[in-house]
């Protein structure tokens, strides 16, 4: 729920950076659908890192060797996803979207998956009871 909520807020706030976006039912519902996809990607990141580290509680032990790969994987995923969606005409950027030189993708969607998974996992640590870690 944290992943959906945070991504939904991000999607709605970055909406004006996309061509033709308006705060109407059609666009807000598209943001909700995109947030479901974003939430699933966060879950894939979580379980992918759990497999790599062989520990489902990997979020409890943050260090540089976990944070940097998480940000890099999220960034690469965002870049590939944006390239795919832009090439297929799923969306286009408004003039207001700041672009990353050379790859010409928006900085907002890149930051979304570079930073939000880390922030989501960090905030979700509060909901994991310490007693569950001892089992």
């Amino acid at each position: 729920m944290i992943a959906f909520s945070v991504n939904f807020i991000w999607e709605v706030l970055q909406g004006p950076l996309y061509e033709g976006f308006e705060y109407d039912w059609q666009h807000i519902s598209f943001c909700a659908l995109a947030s479901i996809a974003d939430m699933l990607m966060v879950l894939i990141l979580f379980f992918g890192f759990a497999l790599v580290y062989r520990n489902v509680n990997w979020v409890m032990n943050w260090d540089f060797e976990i944070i940097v790969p998480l940000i890099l994987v999220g960034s690469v995923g965002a870049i590939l996803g944006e390239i795919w969606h832009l090439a297929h005409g799923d969306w286009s950027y408004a003039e207001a979207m700041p672009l990353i030189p050379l790859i010409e993708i928006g900085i907002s969607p890149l930051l979304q998956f570079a930073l939000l998974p880390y922030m989501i996992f960090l905030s979700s640590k509060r909901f994991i009871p310490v007693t569950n870690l001892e089992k």
Side-chain angles (χ1 to χ4, degrees), residues 3-129:
F4 174 82
S5 301
V6 170
N7 277 289
F8 181 71
I9 292 167
W10 188 284
E11 294 286 351
V12 171
L13 291 176
Q14 77 174 349
L17 300 175
Y18 289 86
E19 192 67 40
F21 182 85
E22 295 181 25
Y23 287 102
D24 60 14
W25 177 250
Q26 178 184 355
H27 290 97
I28 299 298
S29 61
F30 184 81
C31 288
L33 183 60
S35 298
I36 292 170
D38 297 338
M39 175 187 68
L40 293 174
M41 292 307 297
V42 170
L43 285 171
I44 289 169
L45 280 173
F46 175 80
F47 287 113
F49 274 72
L51 286 171
V52 168
Y53 295 116
R54 295 183 178 159
N55 181 358
V56 76
N57 293 315
W58 64 272
V59 297
M60 299 304 287
N61 301 310
W62 290 107
D63 64 13
F64 188 75
E65 293 177 7
I66 291 177
I67 296 169
V68 171
L70 178 64
I71 291 171
L72 289 175
V73 170
S75 297
V76 169
I79 291 168
L80 295 175
E82 285 298 300
I83 290 170
W84 170 269
H85 287 289
L86 290 168
H88 286 86
D90 296 330
W91 54 72
S92 59
Y93 301 135
E95 289 290 321
M97 175 70 82
L99 299 178
I100 298 170
L102 301 175
I103 55 176
E104 297 297 310
I105 68 158
I107 197 163
S108 179
L110 175 64
L111 288 175
Q112 182 177 6
F113 262 88
L115 302 177
L116 288 189
Y118 170 71
M119 292 169 36
I120 290 164
F121 297 143
L122 190 63
S123 67
S124 66
K125 285 173 54 171
R126 289 192 260 167
F127 301 105
I128 302 171

